[in-house]
Amino acid sequence: MVRRKPRRRHAARVASTAAAALLVVAGPSATESSAAPAASGTYAAPETGTAPAAPEADTPSYLRRDTEAVHRAGAVGVLADLRDGDRRARARAGVAELGTDRPVAWHSSIRVGSATKAFTATVALQLVGEGLLSLDDTVERWLPGLVTGNGNDGRAITIRHLLQHTSGLPTVSDLPGWENAEQFEKHRYDAHDPRYVVKLAMRHPPSSVPGARWEYSNTNYTLAGLVIEAVTGRSWDHEVTSRIIVPLELTGTFVPGHRPYLPLPHPHTYYQFAEGEPWFDTTVLNMKDADAEGSMVSTTEDLGRFHTALIGGKLLKRAELAEMMKTVPVPEFTRWGMRYGLGLMWFDLSCGGGYWTHWGDTLGASTRGGITPDGKRGIVVSTSGNGDHLKIPMEDDALHPLVDNALCRGLS
């Protein structure tokens, strides 16, 4: 998640017709492919190229319906990618760009936001498995003098605290660019060194003592990226690329660094800074400030492949995977049985059992999904178009039910 404002919980319901009628405030944007077929509504995936797409008949009606529900809840475009054993089905709704009738491309590049954290945590735990790092190491050991001031103390915070969001460290709220559309336009190309981002966070006191309770803070994973660099002598993105992306052949996944443009094809991303305001095009955006906590670009297919490899034990040894899955409760989402491990979220399923995942949000795009503990059934959902006031109608009424339903019912 990237520089999120404090949540405002409005119960407004946003109909798709109202969202589509909003004037789009245009910012700079990369050119989209003009070869995309014109269509509208929801779609079953055709067999294209070499992708292991399921035939159209395999896309169940409930998946089409649930995908359309996310669009009606306020999303501009939605792409759902469901895998059940060796079968796959996809559905999509809405459009790739407002003002057109182009659907979201099946192999779209997407900003995955805090889904990046699962990659970062995996690398950190690989280093633990190699004996180069310990979960009980303090932040001070690897980053001396960085976490200090206003009650923050890196000597009392461990690597486990960082990865589990139990450090009590404040998140960064001092970077400009997300207050309103004018500020975003002014600062969309800004980038700062991660140590500077941490120092901004140190201007604020901690929310609790280390280990006392769970509280989400992007500062934790900015620091985790810096720890990976300190341990290996190489950047966290180099380690993610060489240890995860290349071995798994995630050809649509990368760390963009300072590059603000998404590869084609991609949906445009839109953010509504306040209820009733026009959609603002946030497609072109330098994500460097998010770095190890939320900057990665991927595809729904690649994320699904990563989840399968991770839960299947192909990336971590048994002991480190077990540590990753040791969870603490998340009070805000007890209704869904949410718990947090080391870079992994757990949610209960309405049909029994549960699933592993990591949510991701940026200004204009959201990523949801999950994989069952046996690794046999997984889904990744990508949406464009978000805003704080859309949280309840989109998350509670549409996205969470879509994922829950897909993992309970699958393609049987």
Side-chain angles (χ1 to χ4, degrees):
M1 299 181 188
V2 180
R3 291 183 276 166
R4 289 183 63 85
K5 293 183 280 187
R7 287 178 180 158
R8 300 189 301 273
R9 289 195 166 273
H10 298 291
R13 297 298 185 263
V14 182
S16 62
T17 53
L22 284 169
L23 171 67
V24 180
V25 180
S29 100
T31 302
E32 292 257 339
S33 169
S34 60
S40 61
T42 55
Y43 314 88
E47 295 189 53
T48 58
T50 58
E56 183 171 342
D58 280 352
T59 301
S61 60
Y62 81 81
L63 185 61
R64 301 170 188 260
R65 181 190 67 240
D66 290 351
T67 302
E68 180 62 39
V70 178
H71 175 47
R72 289 197 306 271
V76 173
V78 190
L79 177 61
D81 193 335
L82 172 63
R83 180 188 57 80
D84 191 354
D86 59 358
R87 294 195 296 161
R88 182 183 181 198
R90 294 176 290 179
R92 56 188 174 184
V95 294
E97 182 180 4
L98 288 173
T100 76
D101 57 2
R102 291 187 294 106
V104 180
W106 294 119
H107 303 290
S108 288
S109 293
I110 55 175
R111 291 196 178 99
V112 300
S114 283
T116 300
K117 289 180 172 67
F119 288 80
T120 302
T122 298
V123 171
L125 286 164
Q126 286 178 340
L127 296 176
V128 170
E130 294 163 13
L132 300 175
L133 180 67
S134 169
L135 290 173
D136 295 323
D137 285 349
T138 65
V139 174
E140 180 68 14
R141 173 179 176 181
W142 294 104
L143 304 171
L146 183 58
V147 178
T148 186
N150 293 303
N152 299 292
D153 187 355
R155 298 171 299 178
I157 298 170
T158 66
I159 305 305
R160 184 187 298 277
H161 290 145
L162 295 182
L163 298 182
Q164 199 161 54
H165 290 299
T166 53
S167 68
L169 288 172
T171 199
V172 179
S173 59
D174 304 77
L175 289 170
W178 48 262
E179 300 92 337
N180 52 54
E182 181 181 0
Q183 286 295 307
F184 177 84
E185 185 61 58
K186 182 178 179 180
H187 295 284
R188 70 162 78 221
Y189 297 107
D190 287 2
H192 304 86
D193 182 83
R195 287 178 176 267
Y196 173 76
V197 174
V198 172
K199 288 178 180 178
L200 287 181
M202 295 303 101
R203 295 178 178 178
H204 306 278
S207 61
S208 63
V209 298
R213 61 188 175 92
W214 184 92
E215 185 167 348
Y216 199 92
S217 173
N218 288 327
T219 306
N220 291 317
Y221 276 77
T222 301
L223 285 165
L226 289 170
V227 168
I228 290 170
E229 181 177 345
V231 172
T232 65
R234 295 175 293 272
S235 66
W236 77 273
D237 52 293
H238 178 279
E239 295 301 300
V240 164
T241 301
S242 62
R243 291 169 173 267
I244 300 175
I245 295 174
V246 171
L248 295 183
E249 298 182 353
L250 306 181
T251 57
T253 301
F254 64 96
V255 180
H258 291 279
R259 289 170 288 178
Y261 300 101
L262 287 168
L264 294 171
H266 65 78
H268 281 242
T269 61
Y270 301 94
Y271 193 76
Q272 202 175 19
F273 287 90
E275 188 171 3
E277 288 190 2
W279 285 112
F280 194 88
D281 192 324
T282 59
T283 309
V284 178
L285 176 63
N286 189 329
M287 294 291 294
K288 179 59 180 174
D289 285 350
D291 211 45
E293 59 92 354
S295 67
M296 290 180 68
V297 172
S298 191
T299 66
T300 57
E301 182 177 359
D302 275 8
L303 273 184
R305 187 179 301 170
F306 167 65
H307 293 159
T308 301
L310 177 60
I311 300 306
K314 293 182 179 179
L315 294 173
L316 293 174
K317 298 175 183 177
R318 182 174 299 179
E320 283 66 53
L321 185 58
E323 291 291 344
M324 195 179 210
M325 293 179 173
K326 290 181 179 178
T327 61
V328 295
V330 177
E332 186 176 357
F333 293 102
T334 54
R335 65 192 182 280
W336 294 334
M338 182 182 175
R339 300 180 65 87
Y340 199 94
L342 305 184
L344 275 184
M345 297 172 172
W346 169 268
F347 287 92
D348 291 343
L349 283 169
S350 62
C351 57
Y355 62 93
W356 296 104
T357 188
H358 203 295
W359 288 2
D361 295 287
T362 67
L363 288 178
S366 297
T367 303
R368 298 292 185 267
I371 186 169
T372 53
D374 60 8
K376 293 181 179 179
R377 186 175 289 173
I379 186 169
V380 178
V381 183
S382 171
T383 71
S384 59
N386 59 20
D388 283 355
H389 61 286
L390 294 173
K391 179 66 177 176
I392 290 177
M394 198 178 297
E395 192 74 64
D396 294 28
D397 299 346
L399 275 171
H400 186 78
L402 186 160
V403 173
D404 184 87
N405 207 18
L407 292 179
C408 282
R409 299 178 66 171
L411 297 174
S412 56

